Amino acid sequence: MHGGNLRRAKELYGLESFIDLSANINPFGPPPGVWAALQKGMVDIVNYPDPESLALRKTLSYHLKQPNETIMVGNGAGELIFTICQALKPKKVMIPIPTFSEYERAARSVGSDVNYIPLGPEGWAKFNNNGEMWGELLKGCDLLFLCSPHNPTGSVLEKETFGQILKVTKEIGCRILFDESFLDFLPDEYRQSVRGHLVENEHLIVLYSLTKFYSIPGLRLGTVFAHQSLISKFEHYRDPWSVNVLAQHAGITALEDLGYPAAVRNKLRESREYFYREFNLGNFSDLKLWPTTVNFALIEVLNQTPGELIEHLGRLGILVRDCSSFEGLPGNFIRVAIKDIHVMQRLIEGLRGWARSSKGC
């Protein structure tokens, strides 16, 4: 269902180490100060963590310019999605597909009627500014899931389109859960959070992840921003100790490293440009790349299923994401994360080897 399962990969391919391109995590590791913060925080593991995560919330408030009372943190974005659904218990939800499977799982866990908005591999690029369309689509909807940058397509929802959605949902009383887990990976010209709309729109809920960009998936750390009344409601449904002391220390230190985000984005831009250039030079007749401006992209396997390619790469110690479990996406796609240039070179070599073997060369 998800990428990043190294234990299963070891069992499947009999290798001890892998290049993991199946999970969209920043490959350059957390900010250097996080390691020292974790070491310092070890003395606190004998005590319960602060159930309010107050120091972390104050740091988020300062750096992300949001009032402290509009912030709740959790054990990754996944836990927060389930918490929100438990609190709201929406009768009817709308989910643009393909997308992160936990939206639907969380909605169904509270008995919601789940409906889809098909995006396909184009993602948000498929939709133009059509306010009437959104009015029709969202009739009777209690909760709309949005994701931008969108997983797995990497597409970005245009500001004008979101404005239309925001207007329609406000009129019909439908809440929006807007997932910005990959926002920090965007270049400066595209990176604009919807958190600025929270003051005027009490039906808007914004999800933000520190796990992916700050490279701490093993610690798990996510944040939700919403009107104070909604945050208070969510608090009744969450585990008060879900954010452990080490995650709190790591989150504070990561956010305070102001030079880290730009450095990571520059490195990823170089890797992304290298990979796209080499892929185009490879002239892969049976592969189509769907480029993005974030840290992952789709590759369409033409004229065949991707199973042989996935296995070929796996035996080389390269893991990619099989997209067959994504509802609303044809079963011939894989998703690859963008890592450092050396890793992307290994992937290109693996793709070339598969292309030669598939042609009997």
Side-chain angles (χ1 to χ4, degrees), residues 118-131:
L119 301 182
E122 302 94 339
W124 289 119
K126 183 177 179 180
F127 283 78
N128 55 19
N129 300 322
N130 190 333

Side-chain angles (χ1 to χ4, degrees), residues 64 66 70-73 77 80-81 84 143-144 146 148 162 166 175-181 183 192-199 201-209 222-227 230-231 234:
L64 299 183
Q66 294 297 317
T70 66
I71 302 171
M72 186 177 80
V73 295
L80 291 170
I81 293 167
I84 290 166
L143 179 64
L144 168 66
L146 297 177
S148 180
F162 177 65
L166 198 60
R175 290 192 172 98
I176 299 174
L177 178 51
F178 197 109
D179 188 348
E180 293 187 332
S181 290
L183 179 72
Q192 185 173 2
S193 172
V194 302
R195 292 191 300 269
H197 294 279
L198 285 168
V199 175
N201 297 276
E202 296 183 9
H203 68 299
L204 176 63
I205 305 158
V206 182
L207 194 64
Y208 175 73
S209 172
T223 307
V224 62
F225 303 93
H227 187 268
L230 278 175
I231 293 294
F234 300 156

